[in-house]
């Protein structure tokens, strides 16, 4: 699937985050600028109707409506037409895994709350109606209360109301439906006085009693028979309409209902007065609960551990069709040319989902066609799939690649010096006292997640495995707790996010992952009953034909017999549910816990990253690019997204610390000493602790404003209040995610206040007079190194196989932190103005352009130099799309005669060729010249060797305009690095 070309492949993409403050109209104003920049497609955050006020769109409440907060269908149509006029593609972010359920605006979820298993929408959501806890059978646990249920009830915070012919329950800011079959519990209260007032023969009284009887006789919410479900739906709506008409014409009946509702709502201070309301709530299809109970008893699948995002069963064709009706229309109308699929790892059967999406696109024409005769899938599809280590994207997925986290880490590793790993680890241990290997940190973090936030899902899996064990005499002696422990260890040792077994069986790659996880679990638990792991392996990984229980390919099995057909189905379902669990545990344990506990070098703690892998070689990078061109040539290439842990240029700066490990360690020790007085004692320990403080200094180096302090140190430098607030917010989030001293579930306000005070004292008027003069010299040095790294990674990204993606605003310096910091408003008017200046520079002749580029580089803090490289590369890609989509990737050898590195490659197609070259690990050069590694003086005789086929060509530097002629000696040809980097540390040179 991967190599088949869709009808529309963008030359590049630009991500825009839509929300009420930046709707389609605002995006339309930006679109012409993106076209001028050289972008190929506009790549939008989810724009289907989401929870009111959503700033991200992933809490979709209605997949089949364009969000009115963004301008609705009309604004979407206008925007889509504009993109077509500008020649820009249109990529939509689809969210098939889950829906937002936290605001009462999700009609499907409201119907489930009202009608339980009898709701037509009940099958849409991944709900266990027969959970382990008997009290929850045929009920949905709804953990939305801020305190224990009984306390909330008796404080009068749960209030019935009568609205539009039905009873509803107001819970804080939410309105929940009430089971209509139970409404007569309220309506019949004090009915005798009403009869006395109206008279026994009153026709309106008869109508009221008739409505009550119809409600009492309607099918129960536990009905599963299709006919009974239809009857319940019909009868409740008929009764509602009749009651609306009745109360509008009978003030007496309306007053009776209001009085009954008030009576049932109870009186604070009179405990017994809440009995009736409690009994009514116990008869609902949901059970209200304290939000903390979700960790242990929730019986619907969530997105990670977020209670307000409920998992969908989109693998069912009917549910797929219902949730993709609007996408189908957009494809048929040609308004969408690509789809980004959010979180496919959450799906029960991702491969099947992508097949259904491909079939849908084929039926609807797949969008605007650049070439209707081109074979292969019509629709450009990328998956937000995070690959671990050297894991590969499943080849059978009908997609064109991932959204680019794997490329981000391949590229980022080039700018981390592997030779300093030992010194950096030694400094980290000495300054923080942390010596635990990252693998152990991750193991403990994943166990913590399973013991707390995701315990309920673990309980479900344990009971599933227990039922399987009980079905055979060879495994029935395993206890529930022992099986739970085995699953816990297996998942804690799982090396990737998930596997993808389905009815087609296991791939060899996934089988190897399972065996490796079992082996790791055995090693970590030598005292644990070994047969538990044998049994788990037998259940999860059934033997193929001809295998014996002792087959090496699947490890030892303890003599367990193969399953019969019925048990095989149960085992497969368990395996598929288990792999739905490993993904969120990995995400929460790795990205949202371990990455905030292990602070060796924050630039390694990126989505899809591995902090134990300290740097990448040029050879590794070339190999990954060659593999991408061969297998996933249209994959996205990311360096920043809405989910990255750090802005791309902040990350580039922090990478530079690996080049100066001794200086970094010495300065951090000095800063810790200077700021010791600003810590607070919390629970007999200094706060923040040294690990959190170590993170603070890295983050500060990364996001310090580019222009701040470059003209020379002031006597008392100023720090902008917004910078202090940003770093405070980041440090609080980091501490909560680390879950060592505080957390989202159990906040420790004393520790958090200590962090806030520390940052304020260090950067505010109290401490900045001492700290900043000590901090700024190293920061300026790192900023220069970061500048080189930033332009280098941008250059390589523009030339690599795949589709470069640009997160909004990153065409200028991206010195941001994790969200919400990276979702700040983007000043597009400023960028448009600066692009006009860049266009003028690109139009100059060679001599004038060289001077103008030199001026941009000298004034690099304003970001124009990055915008220049971005525009030059994007326009080249748009001009030569086939070269970049199909052209060969040719790694170029380099011979470097200075203390630095160079990486270079060529993209070649027929007679067209472009060479991309970038410096790396340049600290000695930057420090020596106190500037940037430019020109022959810096690079001396360093050279980039080029293939013989290019030796006779003349090249033009796309950034500086300089003409470059290779030097030839015998069969060897080269271009001097000093020629390419003369004027700018970034090389995009095109063969003329």
């Amino acid at each position: 699937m991967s190599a088949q070309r869709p009808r529309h492949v963008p030359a590049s993409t630009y991500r825009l985050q839509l929300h009420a403050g930046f709707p389609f109209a605002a995006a339309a104003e930006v679109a012409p600028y993106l076209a001028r920049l050289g972008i190929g497609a506009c790549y939008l955050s989810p724009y289907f109707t989401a929870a009111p006020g959503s700033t991200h769109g992933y809490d979709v409440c209605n997949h089949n409506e364009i969000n009115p907060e963004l301008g609705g269908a009309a604004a979407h149509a206008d925007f889509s037409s504009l993109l077509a006029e500008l020649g820009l593609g249109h990529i939509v972010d689809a969210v098939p895994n889950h829906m937002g359920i936290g605001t009462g605006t999700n009609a499907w979820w409201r119907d489930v709350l009202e009608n339980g298993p009898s709701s037509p929408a009940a099958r849409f959501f991944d709900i266990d109606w027969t959970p382990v806890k008997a009290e929850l059978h045929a009920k949905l646990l709804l953990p939305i209360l801020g305190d224990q249920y009984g306390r909330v009830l008796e404080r009068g915070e749960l209030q019935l109301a009568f609205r539009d012919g039905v009873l509803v329950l107001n819970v804080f800011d939410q309105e929940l439906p009430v089971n209509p079959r139970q409404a007569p519990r309220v309506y019949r209260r004090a009915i005798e006085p009403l009869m006395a007032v109206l008279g026994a023969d009153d026709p309106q009284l008869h109508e009221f009693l008739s409505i009550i009887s119809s409600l009492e006789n309607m099918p129960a919410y536990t009905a599963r028979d299709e006919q009974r479900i239809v009857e319940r739906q019909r009868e409740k709506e008929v009764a509602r309409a009749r009651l609306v008409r009745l109360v509008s014409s009978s003030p007496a009946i309306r007053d009776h209902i209001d009085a009954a509702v008030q009576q049932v709502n109870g009186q604070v201070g009179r405990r017994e007065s809440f009995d009736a309301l409690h009994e009514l709530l116990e008869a609902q299809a949901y059970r209200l609960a304290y939000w903390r109970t979700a960790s242990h008893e929730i019986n619907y699948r969530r997105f990670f551990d977020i209670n307000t995002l409920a998992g969908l069963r989109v693998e069912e064709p009917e549910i797929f069709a219902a949730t993709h009706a609007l996408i189908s229309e957009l494809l048929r109308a040609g308004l969408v040319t690509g789809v980004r699929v959010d979180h496919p790892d959450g799906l029960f059967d991702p491969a099947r989902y992508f097949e259904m999406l491909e079939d849908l696109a084929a039926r609807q024409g797949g969008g605007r066609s650049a070439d209707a005769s081109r074979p292969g899938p019509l629709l450009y599809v990328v998956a937000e799939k995070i690959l671990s280590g050297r894991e590969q994207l499943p080849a059978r997925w009908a997609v064109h690649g991932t959204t680019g986290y794997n490329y981000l880490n391949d590229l980022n590793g080039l700018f981390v010096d592997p030779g300093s790993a030992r010194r950096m680890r030694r400094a980290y241990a000495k300054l923080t006292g942390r010596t635990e290997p990252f693998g152990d940190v991750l193991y403990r973090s994943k166990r913590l997640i399973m013991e707390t936030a995701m315990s309920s899902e673990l309980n479900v899996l344990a009971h599933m495995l227990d039922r399987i064990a009980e079905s055979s005499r060879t495994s029935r002696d395993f206890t529930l707790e022992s099986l739970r422990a085995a699953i816990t260890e297996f998942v804690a040792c799982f090396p990737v996010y998930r596997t993808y077994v389905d009815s087609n069986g296991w791939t060899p790659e996934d089988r190897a992952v399972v065996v490796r996880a079992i082996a790791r679990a055995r090693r970590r638990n030598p005292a644990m009953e070994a047969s538990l792991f044998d049994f788990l392996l037998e259940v999860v990984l059934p033997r193929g034909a001809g295998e014996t229980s002792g087959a090496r390919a699947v490890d030892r099995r303890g003599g367990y017999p193969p399953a019969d057909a019925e048990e095989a189905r149960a085992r497969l379902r368990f395996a598929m549910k288990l792999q739905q669990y490993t993904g969120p545990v990995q995400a929460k344990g790795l990205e949202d816990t371990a990455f905030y506990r292990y602070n060796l070098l924050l630039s390694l703690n990126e989505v899809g990253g591995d902090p134990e892998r300290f740097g990448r070689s040029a050879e590794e990078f070339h190999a990954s690019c060659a593999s991408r061109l061969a297998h996933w040539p249209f994959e996205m290439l990311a360096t920043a997204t809405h989910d990255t842990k750090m802005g791309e240029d902040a990350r580039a700066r922090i990478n530079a610390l690996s080049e100066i490990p001794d200086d970094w360690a010495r300065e951090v020790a000095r800063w810790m000493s200077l700021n010791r007085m600003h810590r607070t004692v919390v629970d007999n320990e200094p706060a923040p602790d040294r690990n959190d403080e170590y993170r603070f200094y890295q983050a500060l180096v990364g996001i310090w404003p580019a222009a701040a302090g470059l003209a020379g140190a002031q006597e008392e430098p100023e720090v902008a209040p917004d910078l202090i607030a940003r770093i405070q917010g980041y440090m609080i989030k980091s501490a909560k995610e680390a879950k060592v001293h505080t957390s989202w579930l159990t906040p420790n306000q004393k520790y958090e206040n200590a962090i806030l005070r520390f940052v304020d004292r260090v950067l505010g008027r109290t401490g900045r007079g001492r700290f900043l003069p000590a901090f700024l010299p190293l920061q300026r040095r790192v900023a220069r190194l970061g500048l080189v790294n930033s332009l280098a990674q941008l250059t390589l990204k523009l030339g690599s196989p795949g589709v470069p993606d640009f997160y909004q605003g990153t065409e200028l310096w991206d010195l941001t932190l994790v969200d919400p910091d990276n979702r700040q408003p983007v000043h597009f008017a400023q960028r448009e103005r600066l692009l006009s200046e860049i266009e003028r520079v690109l139009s100059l002749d060679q001599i004038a352009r060289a001077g103008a580029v030199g001026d941009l580089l000298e004034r690099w803090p304003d970001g124009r130099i990055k915008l220049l490289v971005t525009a030059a590369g994007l326009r080249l890609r748009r001009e030569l799309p086939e070269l970049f989509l199909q052209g060969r990737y040719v790694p170029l050898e380099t011979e470097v005669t200075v203390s630095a590195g160079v990486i270079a490659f060529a993209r070649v197609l027929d007679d067209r060729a472009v060479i991309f070259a970038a410096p790396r690990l340049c600290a000695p050069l930057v420090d020596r010249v106190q500037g940037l590694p430019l020109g022959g003086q810096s690079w001396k005789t360093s050279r980039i060797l080029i293939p013989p086929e290019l030796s006779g060509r003349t090249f033009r530097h796309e950034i500086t305009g300089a003409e470059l002629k290779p030097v030839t000696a015998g069969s060897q040809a080269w271009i001097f690095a000093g020629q390419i980097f003369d004027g700018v540390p970034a090389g995009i040179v095109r063969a003329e």
Side-chain angles (χ1 to χ4, degrees):
M1 291 293 184
S2 61
Q4 291 182 312
R5 182 167 175 170
R7 286 187 174 181
H8 184 281
V9 183
S12 58
T13 59
Y14 191 100
R15 170 79 173 199
L16 290 174
Q17 294 290 119
L18 300 178
H19 49 82
F22 190 83
F24 283 115
E29 293 179 3
V30 170
Y33 158 74
L34 299 183
R36 286 172 55 204
L37 186 61
I39 291 296
C42 198
Y43 161 37
L44 302 169
S45 62
Y47 51 62
F48 307 107
T49 297
S54 175
T55 59
H56 49 77
Y58 289 103
D59 44 0
V60 177
C61 295
N62 184 347
H63 286 89
N64 297 318
E65 180 183 56
I66 303 294
N67 196 336
E69 291 186 358
L70 306 180
H76 176 270
D78 291 343
F79 177 72
S80 300
S81 297
L82 175 61
L83 292 184
E85 291 174 15
L86 294 170
L88 293 173
H90 181 167
I91 297 177
V92 62
D93 196 339
V95 189
N97 174 65
H98 57 266
M99 293 186 78
I101 58 169
T103 60
T105 56
N106 187 322
W108 290 345
W109 188 252
R110 282 187 64 88
D111 199 69
V112 172
L113 295 181
E114 183 180 58
N115 301 296
S118 188
S119 166
R123 58 186 178 274
F124 282 39
F125 298 97
D126 200 349
I127 301 169
D128 182 5
W129 292 109
T130 56
V132 174
K133 188 169 183 175
E135 292 84 354
L136 288 176
H137 280 206
K139 284 184 179 289
L140 188 67
L141 184 74
L142 208 57
I144 62 174
L145 303 182
D147 199 352
Q148 298 287 343
Y149 163 75
R151 296 173 184 171
V152 173
L153 175 73
E154 293 173 14
R155 287 200 297 261
E157 294 172 0
L158 306 178
Q159 291 286 294
L160 279 181
F162 179 75
R163 181 179 62 76
D164 297 332
V166 295
L167 293 176
V168 295
L169 180 71
N170 293 310
V171 184
F172 301 109
D173 59 348
Q174 289 196 52
E175 181 186 272
L176 306 180
V178 169
N179 179 2
R181 194 170 189 259
Q182 299 301 323
R185 290 173 179 262
V186 177
Y187 299 152
R188 284 195 182 279
R189 297 183 73 86
I191 195 75
E192 291 79 8
L194 177 65
M195 296 174 67
V197 169
L198 294 178
D201 296 328
D202 184 84
Q204 291 181 323
L205 176 63
H206 290 175
E207 172 68 358
F208 186 43
L209 294 175
S210 174
I211 293 170
I212 291 174
S213 294
S214 70
L215 291 172
E216 290 173 332
N217 291 313
M218 69 186 296
Y221 76 76
T222 54
R224 301 291 185 97
D225 178 77
E226 190 65 31
Q227 185 174 349
R228 298 285 282 169
I229 290 175
V230 171
E231 180 184 352
R232 178 182 170 89
Q233 290 287 319
R234 181 185 65 245
E235 291 302 315
K236 73 182 182 66
E237 291 305 314
V238 169
R240 183 193 64 79
R242 290 171 65 190
L243 197 51
V244 167
R245 290 192 297 269
L246 179 61
V247 297
S248 66
S249 62
S250 175
I253 291 176
R254 175 65 200 234
D255 290 345
H256 164 77
I257 293 175
D258 289 343
V261 165
Q262 185 176 1
Q263 185 180 18
V264 172
N265 278 334
Q267 298 179 27
V268 177
R270 292 184 54 207
R271 189 175 187 185
E272 69 282 359
S273 69
F274 292 97
D275 290 348
L277 181 56
H278 169 65
E279 291 170 4
L280 177 65
L281 295 181
E282 288 293 280
Q284 301 307 305
Y286 52 83
R287 176 170 177 160
L288 292 173
Y290 186 25
W291 65 270
R292 290 181 183 272
T293 64
S295 298
H296 299 281
E297 293 185 349
I298 201 163
N299 60 331
Y300 61 89
R301 181 172 61 84
R302 302 167 290 172
F303 174 73
F304 295 166
D305 60 347
I306 303 174
N307 296 341
T308 55
L309 296 178
L312 289 169
R313 299 177 61 235
V314 75
E315 68 275 3
E316 298 294 331
E318 176 192 1
I319 300 166
F320 177 90
T323 54
H324 288 69
L326 180 54
I327 284 183
S328 178
E329 292 178 17
L330 297 178
L331 291 173
R332 183 169 59 250
L335 299 180
V336 167
T337 58
V339 175
R340 180 258 199 195
V341 176
D342 179 65
H343 193 54
D345 273 355
L347 303 177
F348 186 67
D349 190 349
R352 175 64 184 139
Y353 170 80
F354 288 120
E355 289 172 5
M356 291 191 290
L357 184 61
E358 183 185 35
D359 291 344
L360 173 67
R363 290 195 305 272
Q364 303 304 342
R368 294 196 308 272
S369 173
D371 182 357
S373 66
R374 195 181 296 278
L378 299 175
L379 185 66
Y380 179 64
V381 179
V382 289
E384 189 227 8
K385 165 61 186 169
I386 299 165
L387 301 171
S388 300
R390 292 174 173 81
E391 180 188 10
Q392 299 296 312
L393 188 65
R396 57 181 168 167
W397 284 10
V399 301
H400 296 96
T402 72
T403 53
Y405 289 115
N406 43 319
Y407 178 78
L408 183 157
N409 287 283
D410 286 338
L411 178 62
N412 187 66
L414 283 174
F415 304 98
V416 175
D417 186 357
S420 68
R422 182 174 298 178
R423 285 181 290 170
M424 287 294 287
R425 290 191 179 105
R426 186 167 57 238
Y428 179 55
K430 180 179 178 181
L431 292 167
T432 68
R434 302 299 176 95
T435 59
E436 188 177 24
F438 179 74
D440 291 346
V441 175
L442 176 58
Y443 169 80
R444 290 195 299 107
S445 297
K446 291 175 71 172
R447 282 192 56 99
L448 175 66
I449 294 301
M450 287 186 280
E451 291 164 2
T452 55
M454 301 197 70
S455 176
S456 59
E457 291 87 346
L458 180 61
N459 288 337
V460 171
L461 289 169
H463 279 84
M464 288 180 70
L465 187 59
D466 185 55
R467 286 193 290 270
I468 292 171
E470 288 288 347
S471 67
S472 171
R473 62 177 179 264
T474 59
S475 55
R476 71 179 190 180
D477 285 349
F478 291 127
T479 65
L480 175 64
E481 277 307 304
S482 68
L483 293 171
R484 190 180 194 276
I487 296 172
T488 300
E489 292 302 318
F490 173 77
V491 176
C493 295
F494 211 71
V496 297
Y497 280 75
R498 65 166 283 178
T499 50
Y500 300 96
V501 66
D502 56 22
S503 57
N504 295 315
W506 290 89
T507 65
E509 295 80 9
D510 281 348
R511 292 175 74 89
V513 166
V514 171
V515 170
R516 183 154 45 123
I518 290 286
R520 286 182 175 183
R522 289 186 197 275
R523 286 196 301 270
R524 281 196 177 271
N525 299 274
M528 202 166 172
E529 174 61 45
S531 59
L532 279 166
F533 294 118
D534 295 338
F535 174 66
L536 181 59
L537 183 61
E538 178 66 27
V539 170
V540 173
L541 199 64
R543 283 164 287 180
E547 289 188 68
T548 66
S549 61
R552 291 183 180 180
V554 290
D555 208 341
R556 60 184 185 274
R557 299 301 182 91
Y560 295 105
D564 59 25
E566 182 178 351
E567 187 171 332
R569 285 192 293 270
R571 292 182 177 191
L572 175 61
R573 179 163 182 79
F574 171 78
M576 294 180 74
K577 294 299 290 184
L578 176 62
Q579 65 191 7
Q580 273 186 297
Y581 184 63
T582 61
V585 170
Q586 180 82 347
K588 295 300 295 180
L590 175 66
E591 296 174 40
D592 294 343
T593 307
F595 276 178
Y596 291 93
R597 292 182 169 193
Y598 188 81
N599 299 327
L600 172 66
L601 191 67
L602 296 187
S603 55
L604 298 177
N605 295 11
E606 196 46 89
V607 180
D610 179 4
E612 288 187 306
R613 192 175 178 187
F614 205 91
R616 304 279 208 283
S617 68
E619 291 72 23
E620 288 176 302
F621 178 78
H622 288 317
S624 70
C625 284
S627 176
R628 181 173 302 105
L629 182 60
H631 302 290
W632 306 101
F634 314 125
E635 183 168 67
M636 274 188 176
L637 311 177
T639 45
T641 75
H642 57 287
D643 281 335
T644 41
K645 301 298 184 184
M646 191 157 285
E648 62 182 44
D649 299 311
R651 194 185 313 118
R653 285 183 178 181
I654 293 173
N655 283 336
L657 301 180
S658 71
E659 300 183 59
I660 53 171
D662 298 332
D663 294 344
W664 165 249
R666 183 178 61 253
E667 291 303 309
V668 171
R670 180 185 173 202
W671 300 339
M672 283 183 165
S673 178
L674 283 172
N675 294 327
R676 184 170 47 211
M677 66 183 73
H678 302 313
R679 303 187 196 108
T680 305
V681 175
V682 175
D683 298 328
N684 298 317
E685 296 288 338
D689 71 14
R690 288 187 293 167
N691 195 35
D692 284 342
E693 188 177 355
Y694 195 78
R695 170 179 284 274
F696 166 73
Y697 296 126
Q698 289 188 64
L700 196 61
V701 164
I703 70 165
W704 193 261
L710 290 182
Q714 306 169 23
E715 289 186 7
E716 190 173 330
E718 292 290 329
V719 181
D722 73 305
L723 179 65
I724 295 177
R726 287 172 58 207
I727 198 77
Q728 284 178 324
Y730 171 73
M731 291 299 296
I732 293 296
K733 176 169 182 172
S734 299
K736 284 179 176 289
E737 297 284 21
K739 306 170 189 66
V740 175
H741 301 289
T742 185
S743 69
W744 299 108
L745 286 173
T746 311
N748 181 343
Q749 200 59 54
K750 290 182 179 179
Y751 190 83
E752 293 178 23
N753 289 340
I755 288 177
L756 297 175
R757 278 195 299 270
F758 178 80
V759 175
D760 185 62
R761 290 174 179 175
V762 169
L763 297 179
R765 189 168 296 277
T766 301
R768 68 183 180 222
R770 299 183 65 211
F771 170 65
L772 292 186
F775 170 76
L776 288 176
L778 183 74
Q779 192 284 324
R780 294 188 189 110
R781 181 182 174 195
V782 171
R784 289 196 302 272
L785 293 171
L787 165 63
V788 177
N789 287 350
S790 291
L791 296 182
Q793 74 175 358
L794 173 60
T795 301
L796 299 178
K797 172 180 168 181
L798 287 164
S800 293
V803 178
D805 174 48
F806 291 78
Y807 181 62
Q808 60 178 27
T810 58
E811 60 270 35
L812 298 184
W813 301 125
D814 180 22
L815 302 175
T816 59
L817 297 164
V818 71
D819 71 281
D821 193 57
N822 64 2
R823 304 190 192 190
Q824 300 175 61
V826 177
H827 302 297
F828 283 108
Q830 174 203 23
R831 284 161 173 76
E832 286 192 67
R833 177 178 56 80
L834 294 180
L835 181 58
S836 296
E837 296 182 27
I838 296 305
E839 289 173 326
R840 182 186 62 80
V841 171
L842 291 173
S843 69
L844 296 174
D845 60 39
Q846 178 179 338
I847 297 176
R849 194 198 292 194
V853 172
D855 181 65
L856 294 180
L857 197 58
E858 184 177 341
R859 301 174 184 275
W860 67 265
D862 63 22
R864 288 180 299 165
I865 187 65
K866 186 182 182 187
L867 183 61
L868 170 67
V869 177
T870 302
L874 287 175
R875 292 178 177 197
L876 181 63
R877 289 189 69 101
R878 188 169 62 185
E879 181 186 346
L880 303 173
E882 296 309 311
L883 171 70
F884 291 100
L885 294 175
Q886 298 187 99
R888 289 184 291 128
Y889 178 88
V890 183
L892 301 181
E893 292 184 42
T894 61
E895 294 179 355
V896 181
T897 58
V898 294
S899 298
V902 174
I903 182 167
F905 57 83
R907 302 302 307 278
V908 181
L909 181 65
D910 301 327
D911 63 342
R912 290 161 288 176
V914 182
I915 291 174
F916 292 82
R920 57 188 288 257
L921 308 181
C922 293
L925 289 186
V926 173
D927 292 341
R928 188 181 72 227
V929 299
Q930 284 295 300
L932 301 174
L934 305 176
Q937 183 62 30
S938 293
W939 291 99
K940 295 184 179 178
T941 56
S942 299
R943 57 185 187 169
I944 299 168
L945 308 182
I946 63 174
E949 63 189 282
L950 301 179
S951 61
R953 310 287 291 275
T954 297
F955 290 83
R956 181 75 60 184
H957 202 302
E958 290 291 306
I959 301 169
T960 67
E963 184 181 277
L964 307 177
K965 293 185 177 181
V967 177
T968 303
S971 62
Q972 186 65 68
W974 66 85
I975 301 176
F976 285 111
Q979 289 178 279
I980 292 180
F981 301 143
D982 187 17
V984 63
I988 304 176
V989 293
R990 174 183 183 178
E992 293 192 330

